[in-house]
Every structure is written in C-alpha cells, then in structure tokens.
Amino acid sequence: MALTKKKPRTIDNYLSGVSPDQRAALQKLRETIRTVAPKAEECISYGIPAFRLNGRSLVFFGAWANHCSFYPGSSATLRKFQSDLKGFQISKGTIRFSPDNPLPLALVKKLVKARIAQNRI
C-alpha cells in the first residue's frame, strides 16, 4: 500500500506524502520519464503516479514502506532488459529499488522508450 493516507489527485500530491529520500528518487524518475516522453500526460492510476501517452498507459511508479517501485507496464519490457536489471528485485511487472540504490536514469530512458514503441503497435 502506498504511504499516502488519502487518495492523491496529482503526482505532486502523491510525492508530498512520501519520505524525503523516496520523494527525491521518484522525482528524478518522473523528470527522466518526462524527458523521454514530453507529450505524456501525468496522472494517478491504481492509486500511484502514472504516465499516459495517446490515451494509453505508459509507466507507473510508487513508494512503499521499504522500497520504491517502477512499473514498466509490460512483462515483455522487463524480460527484454533483464540483464540490465541485475541488482534489482524484479517480478512479473515490477522493479523494486531503494533511494540509496536507484534505477540508473539511462536504464529508465531505455525502458520508457521501449514502452513508447510497444504502445505504437
């Protein structure tokens, strides 16, 4: 469950409810996503920050009690970049990381670009 107590309406609102170290890590993630997908729309989906592009879900991220998560929105994308994700806990659709061991921004860019390409199909 996300750390925020009431349902956030914006990403800024969501981030204001998480710890400062998680906020900093997620803000960098947000800025990186925005750089790769400047036309993507920020939103809250499933109670966590998300981006939509052309009306379709692109990526999600969130803060939890003991970690942060990035959700590329596709298990195929995770499989494609599995070798780049060594050192991170991954599951079917989630990459878990901590603020002191964040996802490399170059990898985030690759993941978002892959999702953009998938959404075009």
Side-chain angles (χ1 to χ4, degrees):
M1 187 87 174
L3 297 176
T4 54
K5 292 185 174 130
K6 58 184 177 176
K7 198 170 188 176
R9 295 177 190 254
T10 66
I11 292 179
D12 286 329
N13 182 250
Y14 180 93
L15 293 176
S16 72
V18 303
S19 70
D21 60 335
Q22 288 178 318
R23 184 178 315 119
L26 294 179
Q27 183 60 33
K28 282 185 183 177
L29 195 64
R30 177 189 192 185
E31 291 166 3
T32 303
I33 296 164
R34 171 71 49 223
T35 298
V36 177
K39 294 182 180 179
E41 169 192 0
E42 292 188 348
C43 61
I44 297 293
S45 183
Y46 300 104
I48 60 173
F51 282 81
R52 283 190 197 115
L53 186 60
N54 301 323
R56 299 176 76 185
S57 294
L58 188 63
V59 294
F60 308 77
F61 59 89
W64 306 95
N66 298 313
H67 65 278
C68 295
S69 292
F70 180 68
Y71 307 90
S74 163
S75 58
T77 299
L78 277 179
R79 283 191 304 275
K80 181 177 178 181
F81 293 97
Q82 194 163 7
S83 64
D84 295 319
L85 292 165
K86 287 185 170 116
F88 296 98
Q89 186 180 21
I90 59 172
S91 63
K92 186 176 180 180
T94 308
I95 305 165
R96 291 186 185 101
F97 63 95
S98 62
D100 60 337
N101 184 29
L103 287 173
L105 298 181
L107 177 56
V108 173
K109 289 178 182 179
K110 287 181 191 178
L111 290 163
V112 174
K113 286 177 183 178
R115 285 294 295 142
I116 290 169
Q118 279 182 328
N119 277 0
R120 287 187 182 136
I121 297 172

